[in-house]
């Protein structure tokens, strides 16, 4: 059963039967049947559909955003912003996809030689719960604009969001079979990955889940893109603008109640400014309101599931027991729902749980480094490599970015995903890229064409 539970109350609000074998077969057959026609359409024709999806999202934001608020606890203001960002992604690829996939003429011994970018067929997107609309858009918009048909297997805890996403394509009159939702439980996914009508897989989620998806896809020789977990370092050096850094770092850590792979998770501060930075961060975090995500004044909503809150509290408790200083929060609240207080842990050192493991919640870890070189070493001593940020002079930050083991680095700014720029990780944070010109080229056949006669 696909079950949605309101994390602010702990009450089940929606139950959906997963698709049986016959329904799965119908969906796969429809995607395969639609693929040739969709791939033969011009970029302009595909763009019309993507623009229609974007317009629908904007027109119906007040209908769609509350689904995230009730199914995974996203504050309503953030939920509206997410729907708008998904619309931006569809418009971006509608406007720029043709240029991103334009033929590339390459000199050779041919009369003419070039590379053209052709669709693969059907791409399966396996998505998590923490950003239901945004993560769908960054998988689907480039894949569709490239001429692929798409199957979406969304997280079983957000069935209402998944159904609404699929309904968008029906309501804008998209060709049948071009985009479909597969309402599956997790054990059913491997068979779909292995089905010969699925040609590639995009996965966003945990390293453990990514390993399972990658193994199944690799055994079938199918390309994958994996966007996995992160323990993102934020380096604050002594020459940084501390007030601006504190504002941005606090925001980065608590967006979506801290349930984001690219949130700043390990704040590594140079010793010369460590006490000042700890106090500035404390002041900003202390102002935040934890509460009902449906209220406009709420800054931080609940943790999405009870088991996730239990895991988060274990990480905090073990870190405090190991000697970290509890500056804010850290206590499980009484009452309904799976709320967790905004928590700040200072004087954290390597090896402590909240430094070693990815924390998925409103928990800030602050570490002290003797100098910039030690800060860099701490930043890189992790199995993850998704994103990072540096606060210093622009010149120094750019130089340090080359030495940080992460897929993206923000210098004097917030780490975010942007349709115009590629996003992805290294090490156990995954491989491949989403978004930007790089993302749309992940699921195409870069076909080399050589046209004779041979030239001397």
């Amino acid at each position: 059963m696909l079950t949605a539970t309101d994390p602010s109350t702990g009450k089940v609000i929606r139950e959906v039967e997963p698709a049986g074998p016959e329904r799965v077969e119908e969906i796969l057959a429809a995607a395969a049947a639609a693929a040739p026609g969709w791939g033969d359409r011009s970029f302009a024709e595909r763009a019309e559909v993507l623009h229609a999806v974007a317009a629908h999202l904007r027109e119906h934001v007040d209908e769609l955003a509350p689904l995230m608020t009730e199914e995974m606890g996203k504050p309503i203001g953030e939920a509206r912003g997410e729907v708008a960002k998904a619309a931006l992604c569809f418009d971006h690829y509608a406007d720029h996809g043709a240029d991103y996939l334009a033929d590339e003429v390459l000199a050779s011994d041919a009369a003419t030689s070039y590379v053209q970018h052709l669709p693969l067929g059907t791409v399966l997107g396996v998505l998590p719960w923490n950003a239901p609309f945004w993560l769908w858009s960054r998988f689907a918009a480039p894949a569709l604009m490239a001429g692929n048909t798409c199957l979406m297997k969304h997280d079983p805890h957000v069935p209402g969001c998944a159904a609404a996403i699929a309904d968008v394509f029906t309501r804008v009159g998209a060709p049948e079979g071009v985009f479909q939702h597969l309402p599956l439980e997790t054990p059913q996914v491997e068979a779909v990955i292995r089905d010969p009508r699925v040609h590639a897989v995009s996965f966003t989620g945990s390293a453990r889940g990514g390993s399972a998806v990658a193994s199944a896809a690799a055994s079938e020789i199918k390309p994958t893109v994996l966007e996995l977990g992160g323990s993102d370092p934020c380096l604050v050096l002594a020459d940084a603008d501390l007030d601006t850094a504190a504002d941005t770092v606090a925001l980065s850590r608590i967006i979506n109640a801290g349930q984001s792979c690219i949130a700043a998770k390990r704040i590594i501060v140079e010793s010369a400014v460590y006490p000042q930075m700890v106090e500035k961060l404390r002041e900003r975090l202390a102002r935040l309101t934890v509460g009902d995500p449906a209220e406009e004044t709420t800054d931080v909503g609940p943790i999405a599931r009870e088991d996730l809150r239990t895991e988060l509290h274990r990480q905090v408790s073990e870190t405090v027991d190991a000697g970290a200083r509890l500056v804010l929060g850290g206590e499980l609240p009484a009452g309904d729902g799976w709320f967790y207080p905004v928590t700040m842990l200072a004087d954290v050192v390597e090896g402590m749980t909240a430094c070693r493991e990815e924390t998925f919640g409103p928990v800030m870890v602050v570490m002290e480094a003797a100098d910039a070189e030690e800060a860099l070493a701490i930043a890189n001593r992790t199995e993850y490599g998704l994103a990072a940020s540096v606060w210093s002079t622009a010149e120094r930050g750019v130089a340090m970015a080359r030495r940080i083991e992460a897929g993206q680095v923000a210098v004097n700014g917030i780490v975010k995903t942007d349709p115009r720029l590629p996003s992805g990780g290294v090490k156990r944070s995954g491989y491949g890229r989403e978004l930007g010109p790089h993302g749309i080229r992940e699921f195409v056949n870069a076909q080399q064409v050589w046209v004779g006669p041979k030239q001397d």
Side-chain angles (χ1 to χ4, degrees), residues 25-177:
E25 173 57 31
E26 290 174 359
I27 292 170
L28 286 166
W38 181 248
D40 285 342
R41 289 197 178 204
S42 68
F43 284 115
E45 290 172 318
R46 293 179 211 150
E48 285 184 13
V49 175
L50 268 66
H51 278 311
V53 169
H56 182 91
L57 292 174
R58 293 191 178 96
E59 291 166 7
H60 296 273
V61 62
D62 289 330
E63 169 191 334
L64 300 171
L67 292 170
M68 287 183 275
T69 299
E70 67 179 16
E71 288 193 332
M72 50 74 60
K74 190 182 294 289
I76 188 62
E78 288 187 21
R80 293 193 198 100
E82 181 172 324
V83 175
K85 190 173 181 180
L88 179 67
C89 189
F90 274 89
D91 274 341
H92 177 78
Y93 279 104
D95 291 337
H96 299 283
D99 291 337
Y100 288 159
L101 298 181
D103 291 354
E104 296 178 60
V105 176
L106 301 172
S108 73
D109 60 353
T112 302
S113 50
Y114 61 96
V115 172
Q116 59 184 347
H117 304 93
L118 307 177
L120 294 179
T122 296
V123 181
L124 170 66
V126 183
L127 308 179
W129 52 265
N130 59 324
F133 279 77
W134 171 239
L135 297 178
W136 150 66
S137 71
R138 74 185 197 186
F139 142 68
L144 289 168
M145 192 60 188
N148 300 294
T149 57
C150 288
L151 299 174
M152 176 185 70
K153 185 275 173 191
H154 223 316
D155 188 276
H157 298 92
V158 290
C161 293
I165 287 168
D167 187 53
V168 170
F169 290 86
T170 300
R171 293 171 71 175
V172 303
E176 185 176 354

Side-chain angles (χ1 to χ4, degrees), residues 274-295:
Y274 181 77
Q276 302 98 296
M277 192 63 185
V278 168
E279 179 56 22
K280 289 178 184 295
L281 291 170
R282 186 202 66 77
E283 290 174 354
R284 286 155 176 79
L285 295 178
R287 298 184 202 130
L288 300 173
T289 301
V290 178
D292 183 351
E295 294 291 335

Side-chain angles (χ1 to χ4, degrees), residues 72-75 78 130 246-265 267 281-282 284-290 297-303 312 328 340-344 359-365 414-415:
M72 50 74 60
K74 190 182 294 289
E78 288 187 21
N130 59 324
D247 289 340
T248 305
V249 173
L251 175 64
S252 175
R253 189 65 199 97
I254 59 87
I255 289 175
N256 202 28
Q259 300 169 116
S260 169
C261 294
I262 60 168
K265 297 195 173 91
I267 318 305
L281 291 170
R282 186 202 66 77
R284 286 155 176 79
L285 295 178
R287 298 184 202 130
L288 300 173
T289 301
V290 178
T297 55
T298 293
D299 298 306
V300 181
I303 302 300
L312 182 68
L328 285 175
Y340 199 79
V342 175
T343 297
M344 182 176 177
T359 52
F360 225 59
V363 175
M364 179 179 286
V365 168
I414 193 168
V415 172

